[in-house]
Amino acid sequence: MTNWILYDDFVDRVRNHHFNAFSGLITGVSDSNHSFQIGFDHGDIVLLSYRIKKGHAALTMITQIVRAKIIEHPGRNLQNTGSDVLDTSSVLSQLTANTLNETTNITIDINDVSARL
C-alpha cells in the first residue's frame, strides 16, 4: 500500500485516470479500515464498491473518506458491472463536490461556482 493520501489527492488520481483512459483497478483502505475499489475501462468508471456496498451506495461512502491508502492495478480487464454503477461524469461530479476549499476549510461544490460567474 502507498502512504496515506488525503481525499482531494485521491479525487485527483481518479480524475487523472479518467482523462488518461486508464484501464485497471484502484483498491484501497480508508482511515476507518474499510476497503473500497474503483474499476476503470479506458477511463470509464465501471466498478464502485465500498465494503459490501456497490454503485451509488458505495459512492456515497467513498465521498466520506478523509484519507486513504491505495494500490493501483493497471491493465486489469474490467467490464461494466451493470446498472448499479453511475455514469463516469456523475461519479466524478459527486467526488469533486466533496473536495476541500483550502482557503476557507469548507467543502464546496465546484459545479455551483460556474453558476455564480
Side-chain angles (χ1 to χ4, degrees):
M1 290 251 162
T2 61
N3 292 327
W4 290 105
I5 60 172
L6 295 176
Y7 179 79
D8 289 5
D9 296 327
F10 167 69
V11 172
D12 284 343
R13 286 192 188 190
V14 172
R15 278 194 304 235
N16 286 337
H17 284 341
H18 167 65
F19 294 125
N20 293 324
F22 176 79
S23 289
L25 186 66
I26 292 176
T27 60
V29 62
S30 70
D31 54 350
S32 301
N33 286 326
H34 296 155
S35 62
F36 63 91
Q37 297 181 329
I38 300 177
F40 295 85
D41 182 27
H42 296 91
D44 291 330
I45 295 173
V46 295
L47 170 72
L48 288 174
S49 69
Y50 186 94
R51 298 184 74 182
I52 63 170
K53 298 178 188 268
K54 300 208 180 299
H56 184 63
L59 179 59
T60 300
M61 300 305 294
I62 290 170
T63 62
Q64 296 175 18
I65 292 173
V66 174
R67 64 186 187 140
K69 287 185 177 183
I70 63 168
I71 297 176
E72 297 178 357
H73 307 273
R76 292 277 174 113
N77 188 14
L78 300 173
Q79 297 174 358
N80 194 321
T81 58
S83 62
D84 200 23
V85 175
L86 301 173
D87 68 29
T88 300
S89 62
S90 295
V91 171
L92 293 174
S93 292
Q94 192 161 346
L95 289 173
T96 303
N98 291 315
T99 57
L100 181 67
N101 179 336
E102 295 175 4
T103 58
T104 61
N105 291 327
I106 60 172
T107 302
I108 61 166
D109 182 345
I110 67 166
N111 295 323
D112 292 339
V113 173
S114 60
R116 289 185 235 158
L117 295 176

